[in-house]
Amino acid sequence: MYFPVFLLLMITFGSQLSFGVFFKVIANEFGFSRALVSGIILASLIVYGISSLLSGRLTDKWGAFPVVLSGLVCGSLGYLLITTARSFLELYIYYGLGIGLCVASSYAPISATISKVFPEKKEKMLSFAFLGIPFGQLFLPPFLATLLEKFGWRMTSFSLSVLLWLFFLPILFQLWKYRKIHFRIKEKRIGKFDLIFFRNPSLWMLLITGLVISAGFHFLSIHIVPYATDLGMPLSLAALTLSFSNLGSLLGTFSAWYLVKQFGHKKSSSYSCA
């Protein structure tokens, strides 16, 4: 199952993290400031963060298949509608809602499903499946930059709309296959979600750590390509700087399973933060 998950995360996160490839083209065509263009991806990240809570809740109730399918529809429609955008408000809505919901509907449901279907080897499965995220950022930026230079950013966005369907189909078949496992496990669940969890200091420490790491990571992924083109690099070469900046993430994701297996979750997290 991990290869279909790999493909899913590769296209969802890889396309979102490749936004820097489109940055200056959109700014120049619409006459936006860089602050306004940055707001487009910010809107997507806000929607992603908020709707991740909802997607996890819906996965608990209905299973991952309908949640992931709805994310596919939102993402594909978002990239398709972006090709018709004529104002910054349309870009904010289409990209912010469409791509934000798409990414949120992939990560949490897939994590929950793998943990339920493969409880004894979930660390290994998650580590290998989540390699799709760094691989997406490794290969998609130069690929999208090449498409953009040849066909323009609107046609490139349309291509992403089509690619989402191709990359989502394998995991949708797998989720349909395992849908009955979800309901068998659901019957055995004890207790419900309670806001008391938010009183846990460990949870807040994880949230703050994730916020800091994510902020720095996304700042780099959004602005490194425009900065490289400011220095005179062609877009295709500038996109490679984004790809190679992700090698550390690739190594970390690949080694996560080994670290957890050897040292446990707490020590592995401490080593990663250090």
Side-chain angles (χ1 to χ4, degrees), residues 35-50:
L36 270 180
V37 179
S38 299
I40 298 172
I41 189 68
L42 176 61
S44 173
L45 293 173
I46 291 174
V47 171
Y48 163 50
I50 296 174

Side-chain angles (χ1 to χ4, degrees), residues 18-32 37 40 78-88 90-92 94-95 144-161 235:
S18 300
F19 182 79
V21 173
F22 299 86
F23 195 100
K24 288 184 72 173
V25 179
I26 292 176
N28 293 336
E29 178 171 328
F30 289 90
F32 294 165
V37 179
I40 298 172
Y79 281 120
L80 184 62
L81 289 174
I82 287 171
T83 64
T84 68
R86 292 293 182 269
S87 68
F88 80 91
E90 290 177 307
L91 284 172
Y92 271 58
Y94 298 154
Y95 193 93
L144 295 176
T146 302
L147 288 181
L148 193 151
E149 289 178 329
K150 291 185 177 181
F151 305 107
W153 73 271
R154 294 182 187 273
M155 184 56 69
T156 303
S157 181
F158 175 78
S159 301
L160 282 173
S161 177
L235 182 60

